[in-house]
């Protein structure tokens, strides 16, 4: 009876462990014939809920990009272009500080090939990809595609489904994703619905602030009392005056929204979004924003032809709804020298988001611009509370010029990152921003005057407080030159890895000479081994337990654990002093020596790379394939944690600390 019970518990235990080996993507394959010699090799995956697969086009220094590769092509077939893929989604990753491109629910890869050896009957394709949820799994799938010999008279458009499907799910043409036919410069991007809404609200809010800033410029602010005076004098009754004011505001909004609609219509809903990583797009808009900035600083004014304003002004005299609309159009034209650079910047930024973002941006901008005109026309008594026009209006305009100039360098940085030229690295970007914001602060203190500034006998309290804020931000950026992360502006400068000195100007005080053999410096300057045998040998030498860290170079949650949990004072102290840390990278694509390659007994897969080796080690010994995975073991490789032998991604610092302490307390040195 006891033996039977023990056997039952063993089976249940093994089945539980087996369940930890996850396969969140189920694949089926098919071959689509284009002509007698050309075929599409199609891989369709169904992704489990809450998991996502990264695209081939995810930028470098980000999560692990998918890769489609084919062996034995020479003399047999030609690989035509990069594999096409279904529509991916886009989101900024604040860990790697890049945009990541990924798939949810389903994914399709479609590789075109041209057969040159008519005797070939099959093609083998390797698909490497990373699928993530709370943890990440690096997968390598090997598919065999049958290449049938079909007479030319047959229906060449009929897809041929392979019999070697890994896992099959129903997928009809009606619900299949559209195959993207463009590369990273022009791939279609769609964001999740919640992210879309969040992004559009952010665009609206920023555009609203832009409209309010435009309102406080010398071209717009003085027009408020003039416009209000016109409505109050021309309207026969207060009710008519309020109605006309509302129509005037709606007309302003309508004009700018039509502009946003035109941008969307002309370029397409996602066309400018596709240009967001295009080198020439970024360089052109860098130059454009610098021109806008120089204009705001007072070197020249960007104006529309005076003839336009005169013609529109004559139409405004017609009265009625048409006249009110042309009054609003006249405001847009006359104030263009101040609003144009702001509108241009907003359109560049919102258009690069794709979709209806330009329309939303112009709605936010025009709402802020129109609202004061409507309110003051409806309630003329409020005019007494308005500050008088004066030199402060030009200060606002110049301040906007400094902001435009700083924002311009983000586009230049994008171009350099795409080309990986390392001409404009993190230190250069921060040095320029420090110079721009520092100069702005000096200007606010009245130590610098520009062409259209009024004589300044003293500075106002508001101007002084703004100067303090600008200088505070300037000083905040200075440590970034020496390696500080600068989390407040992490989305703007290049990532820390894209710099002249990734560890800061001073770097680490330790040198490689201080390291044990086979070790290197890892996160937070921890001593890390990346080879299991070398790390275990050192642990035996110093008689400390081993912390196995199954990780990945492109593992988002691995970086989150390192940045947010390992940096805790108590956890870091344990990692530095009480354990030997061995980090094994499951996505390391370096090939193993031929004599070390083997067929996995657990999965039957070919183990060809270092990453394959450590993934198979995880599956064989710990019955899981996710990263991050942390295991505390003794000098014989036995688990030290009895209740929870392994732990994965968990941002609870106290839990991780207690898990480490519990395992270490069970470590015993055997003489």
């Amino acid at each position: 009876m006891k033996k039977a019970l023990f056997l039952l518990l063993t089976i249940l235990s093994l089945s539980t462990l087996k369940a930890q080996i996850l396969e969140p993507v189920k694949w089926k394959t098919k071959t689509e014939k284009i002509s007698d010699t050309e075929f599409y090799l199609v891989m369709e995956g169904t992704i489990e809920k809450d998991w996502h697969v990264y695209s081939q086009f995810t930028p470098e220094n980000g999560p692990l990009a998918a890769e489609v590769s084919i062996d034995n092509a020479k003399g047999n077939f030609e690989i035509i272009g990069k594999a096409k893929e279904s529509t991916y989604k886009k989101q900024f990753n604040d860990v790697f500080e890049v945009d990541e491109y990924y798939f949810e629910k389903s994914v399709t890869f479609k590789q075109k090939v041209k057969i040159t050896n008519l005797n070939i009957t099959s093609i083998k394709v390797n698909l490497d990809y990373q699928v993530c949820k709370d943890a990440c799994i690096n997968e390598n799938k090997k598919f065999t595609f049958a290449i049938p010999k079909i007479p030319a008279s047959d229906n060449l458009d009929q897809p041929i489904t392979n019999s070697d499907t890994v896992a099959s799910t129903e997928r009809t043409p009606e619900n299949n994703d559209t195959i993207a036919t463009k590369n990273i410069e022009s791939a279609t991007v769609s964001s999740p619905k919640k992210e879309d809404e969040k992004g559009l609200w952010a665009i609206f809010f920023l555009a609203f602030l832009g409209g309010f800033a435009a309102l406080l410029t010398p071209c717009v602010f003085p027009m408020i009392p003039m416009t209000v005076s016109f409505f109050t004098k021309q309207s026969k009754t207060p009710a008519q005056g309020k109605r006309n004011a509302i129509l005037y505001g709606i007309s302003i909004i309508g004009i700018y929204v039509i502009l946003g609609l035109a941008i969307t219509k002309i370029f397409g809903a996602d066309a400018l979004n596709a240009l967001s990583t295009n080198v020439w797009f970024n360089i052109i808009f860098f130059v454009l924003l610098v021109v806008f900035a120089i204009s705001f600083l007072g070197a020249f004014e960007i104006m529309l032809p005076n003839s336009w304003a005169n013609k529109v002004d004559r139409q405004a005299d017609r009265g009625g709804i048409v006249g009110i609309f042309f009054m609003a159009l006249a405001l847009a034209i006359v104030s263009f020298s101040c609003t144009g650079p702001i509108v241009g910047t907003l359109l560049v930024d919102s258009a690069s988001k794709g979709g209806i973002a330009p329309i939303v941006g112009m709605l936010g901008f025009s709402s802020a611009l129109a609202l004061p005109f409507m309110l003051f026309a409806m309630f003329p008594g409020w005019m007494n509370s308005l500050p008088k026009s004066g030199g402060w209006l030009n200060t606002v305009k110049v301040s906007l010029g400094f902001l435009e100039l700083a924002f311009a360098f983000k586009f230049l940085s994008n171009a350099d990152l795409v080309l990986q030229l390392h001409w404009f690295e993190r230190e250069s970007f921060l040095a320029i921003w420090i110079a721009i914001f520092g100069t702005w602060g000096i200007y606010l203190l009245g130590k610098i005057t520009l062409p259209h500034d009024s004589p300044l006998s003293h500075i106002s309290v508001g101007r002084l407080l703004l100067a303090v804020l600008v200088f505070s931000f300037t000083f905040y950026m200075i440590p970034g030159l020496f390696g500080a992360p600068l989390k407040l502006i992490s989305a703007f400068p290049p990532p820390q890895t894209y710099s002249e000195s990734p560890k800061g100007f001073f770097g680490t005080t330790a040198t490689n000479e201080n390291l044990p053999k086979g070790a290197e410096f890892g996160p937070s300057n921890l001593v890390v081994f990346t080879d299991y045998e070398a790390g275990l040998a050192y642990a035996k030498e110093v008689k400390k337990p081993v912390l196995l860290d199954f990780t990945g170079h492109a593992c988002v949650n691995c970086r989150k654990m390192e940045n947010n949990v390992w940096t805790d004072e108590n956890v870091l102290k344990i990692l530095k002093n009480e354990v030997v840390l061995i980090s094994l990278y499951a996505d390391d694509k370096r090939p193993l020596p031929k004599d070390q390659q083997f067929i996995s007994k657990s999965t039957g897969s070919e183990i060809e790379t270092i990453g394959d080796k450590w993934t198979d080690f995880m599956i064989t010994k710990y019955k899981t394939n996710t990263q991050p995975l942390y295991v505390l073991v003794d000098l014989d490789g036995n688990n030290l944690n009895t209740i929870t032998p392994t732990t994965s991604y968990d941002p609870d610092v106290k839990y991780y600390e207690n898990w480490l302490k519990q395992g270490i307390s069970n470590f015993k040195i055997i003489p």
Side-chain angles (χ1 to χ4, degrees), residues 72-140:
N72 198 31
K74 189 174 181 180
N76 293 316
F77 54 87
E78 295 177 6
I79 301 170
I80 302 176
K82 196 174 180 69
K84 301 174 184 178
E85 58 183 41
S86 49
T87 303
Y88 54 67
K89 298 176 180 179
K90 174 182 175 182
Q91 184 178 11
F92 182 75
N93 186 315
D94 56 3
V95 175
F96 291 113
E97 298 180 344
V98 297
D99 285 325
E100 60 184 20
Y101 306 95
Y102 61 95
F103 307 94
E104 292 179 331
K105 297 182 181 178
S106 63
V107 55
T108 301
F109 296 104
K110 193 171 181 178
Q111 178 65 63
K112 187 177 181 181
V113 295
K114 183 176 181 180
I115 306 301
T116 55
N117 178 3
L118 298 181
N119 294 319
I120 191 171
T121 59
S122 64
I123 296 177
K124 293 183 178 181
V125 177
N126 300 316
L127 175 61
D128 290 283
Y129 62 93
Q130 186 177 75
V131 55
C132 294
K133 186 182 175 184
D134 293 331
C136 292
I137 301 171
N138 301 303
E139 291 278 24
N140 172 256

Side-chain angles (χ1 to χ4, degrees), residues 660-668:
L660 288 173
K661 287 180 177 178
Q662 193 260 327
I664 293 170
S665 67
N666 294 329
F667 178 69
K668 297 177 181 178

Side-chain angles (χ1 to χ4, degrees), residues 106 115 126 209 415 514 573 658:
S106 63
I115 306 301
N126 300 316
L209 291 179
N514 305 124
K573 185 177 179 181
N658 290 336

Side-chain angles (χ1 to χ4, degrees), residues 95-273:
V95 175
F96 291 113
E97 298 180 344
V98 297
D99 285 325
E100 60 184 20
Y101 306 95
Y102 61 95
F103 307 94
E104 292 179 331
K105 297 182 181 178
S106 63
V107 55
T108 301
F109 296 104
K110 193 171 181 178
Q111 178 65 63
K112 187 177 181 181
V113 295
K114 183 176 181 180
I115 306 301
T116 55
N117 178 3
L118 298 181
N119 294 319
I120 191 171
T121 59
S122 64
I123 296 177
K124 293 183 178 181
V125 177
N126 300 316
L127 175 61
D128 290 283
Y129 62 93
Q130 186 177 75
V131 55
C132 294
K133 186 182 175 184
D134 293 331
C136 292
I137 301 171
N138 301 303
E139 291 278 24
N140 172 256
K141 294 293 183 182
K142 299 180 186 298
F143 304 110
T144 300
F145 290 84
I147 305 298
K149 295 181 179 180
I150 303 176
S153 58
D154 283 1
N155 182 2
L156 301 182
D157 295 325
Q158 181 67 33
I160 304 136
T161 304
N162 280 346
S163 60
D164 66 320
T165 301
V166 175
S168 179
T169 54
E170 288 299 317
R171 188 173 175 128
T172 62
E174 287 76 17
N175 63 23
N176 194 15
D177 289 330
T178 303
I179 299 296
T181 60
K182 304 174 183 178
N183 58 18
I184 187 63
E185 284 79 20
S186 57
T188 304
V189 177
S190 61
S191 300
K193 186 175 180 181
K194 289 183 179 179
E195 291 170 5
D196 279 349
E197 292 174 356
K198 187 177 178 181
L200 291 176
W201 275 111
I203 290 169
F204 179 88
F205 178 71
L206 291 173
F208 190 88
L209 291 179
F212 184 71
L215 188 72
L216 301 179
T217 57
C219 315
V220 181
F221 190 81
M223 297 186 71
I224 296 177
M226 294 169 55
T227 306
V228 171
S229 175
F230 173 83
F231 282 124
T232 53
K233 290 179 180 178
Q234 296 297 320
S235 303
K236 296 178 181 178
T237 63
Q240 186 184 23
K242 292 180 180 180
R243 187 201 64 173
N244 290 343
I246 293 172
L247 288 174
Y248 182 70
I250 292 173
S251 298
I252 293 174
I253 294 172
I255 289 166
Y256 284 100
V257 169
I258 289 170
L259 177 62
L261 184 63
I263 293 293
T264 304
K265 192 73 175 176
I266 293 169
F267 294 101
D270 292 306
L272 285 178
N273 170 272

